[in-house]
Amino acid sequence: MKDHSPILDELRAMAVFATVVRSGSFAAGARALGLTRAVVSHHIRALEAKLGVPLAQRSTRSFSLTPAGEAFRVHCERLLDEAQDGIRGMELLRAEPRGEVRITCSHHFGNKRILPALLEFRRRYPAIRLHVAMSDANVDLVQHGIELAVRAGPLADSALIARRLLREQTMLCASPAYLRRHRAPATVAELGSHRWIAYPPSQRSLAARAGGQEILIPIRGDVVTDSAAARLAFVLAGEGMARLPAYDAAALIASGELVHVLPEVETAPLEIYLVHAQRIGPSAQLLRDFLLDAERGEAFG
C-alpha cells in the first residue's frame, strides 16, 4: 500500500502557512489553529526545507513574506479556501439550504440564458431568496452588496475571481433588407465601407481573421448602443451590420430573418464569466456551483 503520509504532512503545513499569513503573525496563527507557536514554526520550517527556499522573515516582533513566500501564499490560500468551501458545501447538504444571494447580469443575456437557470435553481432550492439585478452596467459588487456577477470578457485585472461560463461563437450578420439596399460585401475589404451597429459605444473597429490573416474592420454607422438587445433589434430592422453571438443569430439565420455575411471571416468568440469576490457566502457558493455545473452540462449551449 502506498504511504500517503508525506503529502498529508505537506498539505497540513500549507494550511498552517496560509492561516499564519492571514492572521498576520505566528502567534495569532497559532491561536487560530489551536496550536502552540512551536508547532506552527515546525510546520513552516518543514515546508521551507521541502521547497528549498525561505518563505518568511521573522523575528520576535515582526513577520514578512519573502518573494517566494508571497508566490506560494496564493496556492496555500487557495487550498485552504477550497477545503473550507467543501466543508460548507457538505454542511448545506445536511439540511435544506436557506439564505439569500444577490446576482447581477445584463438584460439581454440574462433573459436568454441566466433566468432559465435561476428558475431551475429556485425549483431545487426554494428556501434560498434570490435578488436578481438586471443591468448592462458593470456595477461595483462590494458597493451594491452583490455576490455574483455575470459579465462578458476579457476582464480587466482585479481582485475578483472570474470563472468562465461559456465561450460562444460569433458571426457577422445583416438583414436581407439591409443587403438589398447596400450591396452585400463580396470581399473582406468591402466590409469597411458598410454601415455598422456599434456595440458597445466605445467600439471603433472589429478584429477578425480571414485567409489566415488578422484584419481590423473599421466600424462606421449612425447607430451606437450600450444594449445587446437594441443591437439585435437594429440589425433586424436593416439599420446596419453587427457581430452577433450564435445564441442570437443561429435561429434567425435558419429562419431567413438574418444573413450570415462572409462566413469565411472568423470573429472572436464571446466569453461570459461568472465573477465574485474571494470569499462569498454559502448560498452564493451554491448558486455559483449550480451555474458552473449547468455550463458543464451544456445548459448554456
Side-chain angles (χ1 to χ4, degrees):
M1 181 180 293
K2 188 174 181 180
D3 182 8
H4 295 285
S5 57
I7 188 63
L8 293 176
D9 289 341
E10 290 160 13
L11 292 174
R12 186 181 299 110
M14 290 173 70
V16 169
F17 179 63
T19 303
V20 167
V21 171
R22 286 183 170 172
S23 301
S25 71
F26 277 66
R31 286 194 297 271
L33 292 164
L35 302 173
T36 66
R37 180 169 175 168
V39 171
V40 167
S41 296
H42 167 76
H43 280 299
I44 295 180
R45 282 197 303 271
L47 200 54
E48 291 174 324
K50 173 69 176 178
L51 298 172
V53 293
L55 298 175
Q57 297 171 336
R58 58 266 202 190
S59 67
T60 55
R61 295 189 176 182
S62 65
F63 165 81
S64 63
L65 296 180
T66 64
E70 185 62 41
F72 194 56
R73 170 192 65 82
V74 176
H75 302 286
C76 295
E77 290 191 331
R78 185 180 301 137
L79 172 72
L80 189 60
D81 288 342
E82 290 293 340
Q84 291 171 339
D85 286 350
I87 292 170
R88 280 193 291 267
M90 292 302 99
E91 290 172 346
L92 287 173
L93 294 178
R94 292 206 302 263
E96 183 181 24
R98 296 182 177 276
E100 65 178 43
V101 57
R102 296 176 180 270
I103 182 171
T104 182
C105 54
S106 69
H107 289 279
H108 188 61
F109 181 78
N111 280 313
K112 280 182 170 286
R113 295 300 184 89
I114 300 300
L115 284 184
L118 294 181
L119 291 172
E120 177 59 32
F121 181 82
R122 281 284 303 150
R123 284 190 285 270
R124 189 173 301 183
Y125 304 108
I128 293 181
R129 299 179 63 203
L130 289 180
H131 298 257
V132 184
M134 307 287 280
S135 172
D136 290 335
N138 283 346
V139 299
D140 185 290
L141 302 192
V142 176
Q143 182 180 350
H144 291 83
I146 293 173
E147 292 177 285
L148 298 174
V150 180
R151 291 179 176 171
L155 301 176
D157 291 338
S158 74
L160 300 175
I161 293 174
R163 303 193 182 193
R164 192 169 73 187
L165 272 178
L166 66 85
R167 192 172 190 264
E168 184 85 359
Q169 177 191 359
T170 64
M171 53 198 74
L172 302 181
C173 296
S175 71
Y178 172 85
L179 295 175
R180 284 193 295 269
R181 295 197 307 272
H182 307 273
R183 186 168 62 90
T187 66
V188 172
E190 293 177 9
L191 289 171
S193 63
H194 275 265
R195 300 162 68 90
W196 292 82
I197 309 301
Y199 169 87
S202 60
Q203 186 180 42
R204 296 292 180 268
S205 61
L206 178 63
R209 186 176 179 84
Q213 300 293 318
E214 300 291 338
I215 57 176
L216 203 60
I217 305 167
I219 299 300
R220 302 186 182 94
D222 298 326
V223 179
V224 177
T225 180
D226 64 354
S227 164
R231 172 188 58 185
L232 177 60
F234 280 117
V235 173
L236 286 168
E239 291 292 333
M241 298 173 55
R243 164 185 170 253
L244 297 178
Y247 64 74
D248 271 341
L252 295 170
I253 291 171
S255 69
E257 295 172 80
L258 286 179
V259 175
H260 187 180
V261 177
L262 296 180
E264 67 273 18
V265 176
E266 299 177 19
T267 51
L270 175 66
E271 295 190 329
I272 301 293
Y273 290 85
L274 189 61
V275 180
H276 58 83
Q278 294 281 345
R279 304 301 302 272
I280 53 178
S283 297
Q285 291 176 37
L286 199 61
L287 178 55
R288 175 198 65 192
D289 295 343
F290 179 88
L291 293 174
L292 291 171
D293 287 343
E295 183 274 332
R296 284 191 287 268
E298 299 186 353
F300 292 105

